C-alpha cells in the first residue's frame, strides 16, 4: 500500500497504527487473543491499560513547482502511550520510538510506503489524576514524516 494523494491522512495514520500493532509486545498479552492495544482513537468501552493511540495532528504542504500538482507534505503524527505506572509508560514509549526509528527500510517499512524523513519532534510526559489515588501515566510523542503527493 503506497500512500495515496486522495487519502493520505488516513493512510499514514493506519500505516503507523498497523506497524505498531504488529511490532509492539502487549504487556498483558492481548495480541494472542486477537484483541488490540493500539488504536486510532481512545476506546470508548472497557478501557484496559496500557494502550497506545495514534492520530494525525498537523500537515504542512508546499507545491513543488509553479505548474505542477505535486506537493511536498510534512506530517505530524502523535503517538500517545497510556499506562498504569511510570515504568510501564517509559518502557512502552521507548519501544514505540525504537519501532518507529527502525521501521524505515525493508519489507513493509516507511520507505516502501513512500514516507520518509523520520524525526522525533517531542516526547512529553503527562500524569492524569482520576481521583481516589488513581493515576494514569502517559507520554505524547510527536513524530514527523514527509511524503510527496500527486506524482
Amino acid at each position: 500500500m503506497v500512500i495515496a494523494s486522495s487519502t493520505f491522512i488516513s493512510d499514514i495514520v493506519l500505516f503507523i497504527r498497523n506497524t505498531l500493532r504488529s511490532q509492539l509486545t502487549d504487556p498483558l498479552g492481548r495480541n494472542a487473543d486477537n484483541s488490540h492495544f493500539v488504536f486510532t482513537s481512545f476506546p470508548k468501552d472497557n478501557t484496559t491499560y496500557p494502550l497506545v493511540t495514534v492520530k494525525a495532528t498537523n500537515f504542512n504542504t508546499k507545491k513543488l513547482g509553479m505548474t505542477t500538482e505535486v506537493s511536498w507534505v510534512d506530517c505530524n503524527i502523535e503517538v500517545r502511550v497510556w499506562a498504569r505506572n511510570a515504568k510501564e509508560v517509559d518502557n512502552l514509549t521507548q519501544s514505540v520510538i525504537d519501532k518507529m526509528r527502525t521501521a524505515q527500510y525493508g519489507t513493509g517499512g516507511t520507505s516502501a510506503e513512500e514516507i520518509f524523513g523520520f524525526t522525533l519532534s517531542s516526547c512529553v510526559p503527562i500524569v492524569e489524576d482520576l481521583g481516589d489515588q488513581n493515576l494514569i501515566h502517559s507520554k505524547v510523542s510527536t513524530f514527523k514524516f514527509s511524503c510527496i503527493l500527486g506524482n
Side-chain angles (χ1 to χ4, degrees):
M1 164 186 142
V2 174
I3 302 304
S5 295
S6 60
T7 56
F8 76 94
I9 295 173
S10 62
D11 287 354
I12 291 173
V13 170
L14 292 175
F15 171 75
I16 300 298
R17 183 206 61 192
N18 293 341
T19 298
L20 293 175
R21 271 188 180 172
S22 67
Q23 295 186 15
L24 286 180
T25 302
D26 182 354
L28 301 180
R30 290 173 283 190
N31 293 355
D33 65 1
N34 204 28
S35 59
H36 301 288
F37 80 112
V38 181
F39 304 94
T40 55
S41 63
F42 195 84
K44 294 181 180 167
D45 299 323
N46 300 325
T47 304
T48 303
Y49 298 99
L51 62 93
V52 178
T53 55
V54 179
K55 69 179 182 178
T57 57
N58 191 31
F59 292 88
N60 297 309
T61 65
K62 61 181 167 184
K63 290 186 78 154
L64 293 179
M66 288 178 54
T67 60
T68 182
E69 297 299 317
V70 178
S71 297
W72 179 283
V73 180
D74 290 323
C75 314
N76 289 327
I77 304 296
E78 175 187 291
V79 178
R80 185 168 182 174
V81 174
W82 309 74
R84 300 167 289 186
N85 56 58
K87 181 177 180 178
E88 190 172 65
V89 81
D90 286 345
N91 289 341
L92 271 173
T93 300
Q94 184 61 58
S95 292
V96 166
I97 292 168
D98 287 344
K99 300 307 178 195
M100 299 299 291
R101 181 182 57 78
T102 60
Q104 296 180 65
Y105 302 105
T107 305
T110 59
S111 63
E113 300 301 315
E114 298 182 1
I115 308 170
F116 51 87
F118 165 83
T119 304
L120 173 61
S121 303
S122 67
C123 190
V124 179
I126 300 171
V127 178
E128 298 181 40
D129 186 356
L130 302 179
D132 295 332
Q133 306 274 330
N134 290 323
L135 299 175
I136 298 299
H137 296 260
S138 67
K139 279 202 178 166
V140 179
S141 301
T142 302
F143 298 93
K144 180 179 146 190
F145 293 92
S146 298
C147 58
I148 297 173
L149 299 178
N151 52 349

